[in-house]
Amino acid sequence: MAVPVAGGYIKATGQDIWSISPVRLKPVHRLVVLSSSHPILVALLALAACIAATLFVGGHFEMTTKTEALISPKLGYRQREAAMDAAFPQLADPIVVVIDGRTPELAEDAAARLAQRLAADKAAFKNVQRPDGGPFFAREGLLYGSLAEVQSAMDKLVAAQPFLGQLAYDPSLRGVMNLLSTTLLGVEDGETTLNQIDKPLASLAGPIEAANAGKPAFFSWQEMIGGGGEFQAPLRRLILVAPVLDYHSLMPGARASAVIRQAANDLGLIPADGVSVRLTGSAALDDEEFASLAHNIGLVSTVIVCLMLLMLWLATRSARIVAAIMTTTIAGLLLTTALGLAALKQFNLISVAFIPLFVGLGIDFGIQLSVRFRAERLSEPDPRTALERAAEALGGSLTLAAAGICLGFLAFLPTSYIGISELGVIAALGMVVALVLNVTLLPALLLLLRAPLQSLEVGRRALAPLDAFLYRRRKLVLGAFAVAMAASIATLPLVRFDFNALHLRDPKGEAMATLLDLTHDPNRTVNTIDVLTPGIQDAAKLAARLEKLPEVAQAISVSSLVPEDQDSKLAEIGDAALLLDPTLNPIQQATPPTDAETVRSIANTSSALRRAATGKPGAAARDALRLADALDRLAAGPAGARARAESALIRPMQVVLRETRLSLQAAPVTLATLPAGLKRDWVAPDGRARVQAFPSGDGNDNDTLRRFSRAVQAVAPQASGPPISMMEAGDAISGAFVEAGVLALIAITILLLAVLRSLVEVAATLAPIVLSGFLTLGTCVLIGQPINFANIIAFPLLFGVGVAFHIYFVMAWRAGERNLLQSSLARAVLFSGLATGAAFGSLWLSDHPGTASMGKILMISLVWTLICALIFEPALLGPPRDKAPPP
């Protein structure tokens, strides 16, 4: 079996043993000897360290889900974003409350009441405003339409004067019935026809029937009267809320969101009553992002643990050895988490991926040592001696692999991609922790748990034909891989980089689904670009220039809030106000009716409907009779049904009357008369002004947004906003990986040259890593999987695992190992890769799109890494040397 020889390497004498260390690295061997001599002390020290780490993590754990925190704030676009946030802090991290009503009146009433309720809670909200409503827009909103639209709106109001007057005088169900009866007298007298009043008849029948059936009833006077054009009654209203965020919580906006939901519930703003309230905006999206990541973490974690335990058992065939490896891995994970928090203060969406990285690479070290330990026990019954022999054989390769992985991860440190840079720091620390624990705690646990004596062959002699094939058909195998690599390189231009952070979010989550719903309206897309200008006049000029660009749908500045042609519009509104004011504001109102009076008015209206419709053909007559039937049932039914009907008709009528009264009070709008809160959203205290540009075309399409960004930046280089952030972040990330890849390649090449002192062996170590990377990218093209913020971390893992695996094989080949696939090294590499792949592949089960795509690419990359390690590497290396290299 394996024995030390002159020169410091271990030469194998059996097919199941590999030899990997050209130079004996004594520290690893000494640590194993020391820990195996004092296993109880080592275990107690490790336990104490884990307790301390757990306490530290419990008191210091912080994580940010902000995707913008992944990129260096020193980049130009980040500095422009910071300048915009400093000038308009009230626009940062908002919660957007989206209110949808079954009718326009329900939406407006709900928005008004909820905004008033939220504005009173200063502890939860810094600012509450209505961008599409409120007193100012209710009063001045008509001025923002064209003159023709204002004239049309006034004509309709004047035509509805009798109707408005009756409802203003008697705002009750009786008043509605009396209005309808009066109208029907005109039909009987021949002054009008049923066809002319068919729309009100058909509109009223539905809510009356619903009230009779005890169901929620909804009715809109605005829809019945008809608006259209610029003044078409909206079914959706928005409230912008600036929440007080709790940055000590993993979900900073959770409390504010809970307050909003509770307020909506208290006010009866629920779907059953015709109103839905949903939350979106950056604060809600960030909270939902964390909740989405944690949603089915229990299922994913269970699958990961079960698959890893299965792979470990298949690799070691010993529950005790599996327990030792898992305990060592968990201890290392705790210590690495504590070290990471101590070094970086908080984790981000990328750096938190050190967990799967550590588990995958840490378990690899444990499997390598444990499988070698099993192999040694075939000839050595004493476990301490077997451990020492395993350390003697593996010390060099494990140390070199850990050093290479550390250098690879640290290569990200100088890049502008903070997410991966911080991941590199934690992963490098983790590799040190993993190596130390696997040569101290793991040997101690193997002794304390009394790992059983090995009786079965560790390697696989059945793979002898494949070993022979790889040597005999070496050129064919290498040629096949060369073709695959050439094909993969050819597909590189087709690799899609999707750095739109919104595409990583769960589209089924409320905040994301609501945001996507909003973007269907081009005037409410979040993918706008902001430009900070020196003053109001500069903003107006820039907005005019931007609007001329074909890529820009519209550009808005504070000057856009001053309507055009106000004198003509105000004259039209003033004429209508003179005529309608006495109608809308009666000196006195009718006394509220009794139920008996209401029943009598309902019966009278039903009779009038039957007189007007009986014997007449057409849809209008049928609608009249349908309404008469509904009214008969309402009059004969319980008082509760009439109360429901009155609520369905009168509450929206009160909203219409209030909005109409306000609209007739329009006054000239100037920059000086704009509400302070509204003006502050466009003009900073120092006089600088904001311009907001909207994209033409699909505001969710990456290519559209890229063209939009370039066009705006050509005119205004100081522009900022989500489309620019997406484009420049993508460039920064791509550049970071190129920079880190070059640095890692240089650093690891120098390391390998210093240890191996052979360009051929260095090339044999690095070539399979490059090959597996190209094959992974080619596979992504074939399956249509884009590279994004989340799954891009598969490549550092691919690099780390690849460095380790290929170092193991090159060192074994260097030491003269024959028949690599039959050795226990191949077994360790196979099951290490399968354990890591099973763990990461389970992330594919996540409901979070970013995490799922990360699991998918991690699985693909690990499959190619194993293929390159077990097939390509032996063929590339060829027959082993006849004798070991000199020390």
Side-chain angles (χ1 to χ4, degrees), residues 266-447:
D266 292 344
L267 293 172
L269 309 182
I270 56 177
D273 290 335
V275 178
S276 70
V277 177
R278 296 178 292 166
L279 308 184
T280 188
S282 59
L285 284 166
D286 287 343
D287 291 345
E288 184 175 89
E289 178 79 350
F290 183 82
S292 175
L293 287 168
H295 175 243
N296 63 343
I297 192 171
L299 171 63
V300 174
S301 299
T302 300
V303 173
I304 288 175
V305 171
C306 291
L307 289 176
M308 287 181 61
L309 290 175
L310 175 62
M311 294 302 141
L312 287 173
W313 185 84
L314 290 174
T316 63
R317 298 292 178 141
S318 169
R320 296 179 186 181
I321 295 179
V322 170
I325 294 175
M326 288 301 295
T327 301
T328 302
T329 302
I330 294 171
L333 189 57
L334 283 173
L335 293 175
T336 302
T337 304
L339 289 173
L341 287 173
L344 303 174
K345 309 305 180 186
Q346 69 175 8
F347 298 132
N348 57 52
L349 289 172
I350 297 297
S351 65
V352 76
F354 82 90
I355 296 175
L357 279 174
F358 179 88
V359 170
L361 296 171
I363 278 184
D364 172 61
F365 291 164
I367 289 177
Q368 298 295 335
L369 184 63
S370 298
V371 171
R372 180 61 192 239
F373 169 65
R374 287 184 63 215
E376 292 292 347
R377 298 216 57 193
L378 281 170
S379 60
E380 178 53 64
D382 179 47
R384 282 188 57 188
T385 304
L387 278 170
E388 292 173 11
R389 287 185 178 180
E392 185 79 15
L394 287 176
S397 63
L398 290 180
T399 303
L400 184 58
I405 295 170
C406 283
L407 288 176
F409 286 138
L410 290 176
F412 286 97
L413 193 57
T415 69
S416 59
Y417 190 11
I418 289 180
I420 206 74
S421 174
E422 293 184 351
L423 173 62
V425 172
I426 303 174
L429 291 172
M431 289 307 95
V432 175
V433 171
L435 179 62
V436 171
L437 289 183
N438 276 286
V439 298
T440 55
L441 179 59
L442 180 58
L445 292 175
L446 289 174
L447 293 176

Side-chain angles (χ1 to χ4, degrees), residues 798-809:
L798 166 68
F799 185 83
V801 172
V803 166
F805 287 176
H806 300 304
I807 282 177
Y808 299 152
F809 276 108

